[in-house]
Amino acid sequence: MAIVLYHHPFSRAANTVWMLEEVGVEYELKFVDIMAGDQKKEDVTKLNPMGKLPLLVDGATVVTESAAIGLYLAVMSLSCAMSQQVNRIV
């Protein structure tokens, strides 16, 4: 399953999209219209009770706040890169 990023262009999701592009993972953008208050609807608040964006879902893992998402993606990317290096050595 691909990563899903709940976003709106006027939120702090822009740097998260940039990070997703940098690490090169597959992802799906799910637009949330914050101007219409859609971030307060149940499909968002069940994942983040504060109803804030950006919001990243990776399988059963939910990460909120752009800095935390960036760290999560960096660690995930590093783990994949290290795994590939180990496989080359073995």
Side-chain angles (χ1 to χ4, degrees):
M1 174 186 282
I3 290 173
V4 178
L5 177 66
Y6 291 74
H7 82 105
H8 186 279
F10 300 158
S11 73
R12 296 181 185 260
N15 63 345
T16 305
V17 172
W18 165 73
M19 186 70 176
L20 285 162
E21 289 291 326
E22 286 294 321
V23 299
V25 297
E26 287 186 35
Y27 64 95
E28 172 190 343
L29 289 177
K30 190 165 235 179
F31 178 77
V32 178
D33 189 353
I34 62 175
M35 301 306 208
D38 290 349
Q39 77 277 17
K40 300 297 183 183
K41 290 188 176 176
E42 186 179 357
D43 61 329
V44 175
T45 58
K46 71 180 177 188
L47 298 168
N48 182 0
M50 292 176 33
K52 301 237 180 195
L53 300 178
L55 168 64
L56 183 134
V57 178
D58 183 12
T61 303
V62 176
V63 187
T64 62
E65 302 295 331
S66 60
I69 293 170
L71 181 60
Y72 174 81
L73 292 171
V75 169
M76 182 183 71
S77 176
L78 180 61
S79 296
C80 291
M82 289 176 67
S83 174
Q84 290 171 359
Q85 290 296 332
V86 168
N87 287 339
R88 286 184 197 156
I89 294 170
V90 174

